[in-house]
Amino acid sequence: KIPGFDMSNSPYESANTDFANRVVIFTSTNGTKVLQKIKESELIMVASFVNIDSTVNKILELNPEKLDIVTSGRPDGEADEDLYFAIALKGSLEGNVNMVDEYIKKTREGKGTKRLSMIGGARDVEYSLKRDFANFPVVYHKGIIEKM
């Protein structure tokens, strides 16, 4: 945790925090930059392994004519965890839901996970790989990230 701040950027540590009636500022190395670049899209869904099944179900329900899967990556290039998630999402949308567990395993063994674990983020990785833990789709609209 950075001195002077209420919270760290740990998903695990913030999981039991009540954010009701609070203003929350979300920052990310690349995620916020990507959201800014795609903000004019018709619909922007924010997804990860923690809400993959509910996101897939909502996309299938909406049945969009065109769908783009955009990953945020890292400032120094590709993030294997983003790529693995994108592949799992695409596979699930095509009916291969078993791919999700395979790509959660690949993510667990990936370079990004090793990097985060080395700097003390092992709990965050495991927390972030809980399949459909947050069982609702999430959207980004006019600067706000919220449940769909």
Side-chain angles (χ1 to χ4, degrees):
K1 180 170 121 174
I2 299 171
F5 284 77
D6 295 328
M7 301 195 70
S8 71
N9 68 342
S10 166
Y12 179 82
E13 290 177 20
S14 64
N16 294 316
T17 301
D18 181 4
F19 290 104
N21 302 313
R22 292 173 76 173
V23 174
V24 178
I25 299 172
F26 168 77
T27 64
S28 150
T29 305
N30 272 359
T32 49
K33 292 176 190 174
V34 171
L35 287 174
Q36 186 62 28
K37 287 181 182 179
I38 64 174
K39 69 181 179 183
E40 299 303 321
S41 300
E42 182 179 336
L43 174 67
I44 300 169
M45 297 182 80
V46 181
S48 69
F49 288 115
V50 299
N51 71 340
I52 189 167
D53 296 328
S54 53
T55 299
V56 166
N57 291 337
K58 182 51 90 173
I59 293 169
L60 292 174
E61 176 189 317
L62 295 171
N63 194 24
E65 189 173 308
K66 185 174 189 313
L67 175 70
D68 293 310
I69 298 173
V70 180
T71 60
S72 60
R74 293 182 39 79
D76 57 354
E78 186 179 278
D80 60 347
E81 62 272 17
D82 289 354
L83 177 62
Y84 293 153
F85 175 76
I87 293 168
L89 179 62
K90 182 177 185 294
S92 288
L93 288 166
E94 293 170 345
N96 190 353
V97 295
N98 295 330
M99 282 182 82
V100 175
D101 293 330
E102 175 187 344
Y103 279 90
I104 286 174
K105 183 178 183 213
K106 284 182 184 260
T107 302
R108 200 173 266 122
E109 297 166 354
K111 293 182 295 186
T113 297
K114 288 179 182 151
R115 179 184 50 78
L116 284 171
S117 293
M118 285 184 348
I119 60 171
R123 288 186 316 180
D124 292 322
V125 169
E126 284 308 311
Y127 186 78
S128 299
L129 294 177
K130 288 183 176 182
R131 183 176 178 169
D132 224 37
F133 177 72
N135 62 349
F136 50 85
V138 175
V139 294
Y140 174 81
H141 182 68
K142 295 186 179 181
I144 298 172
I145 298 172
E146 60 188 349
K147 287 183 184 180
M148 184 172 202

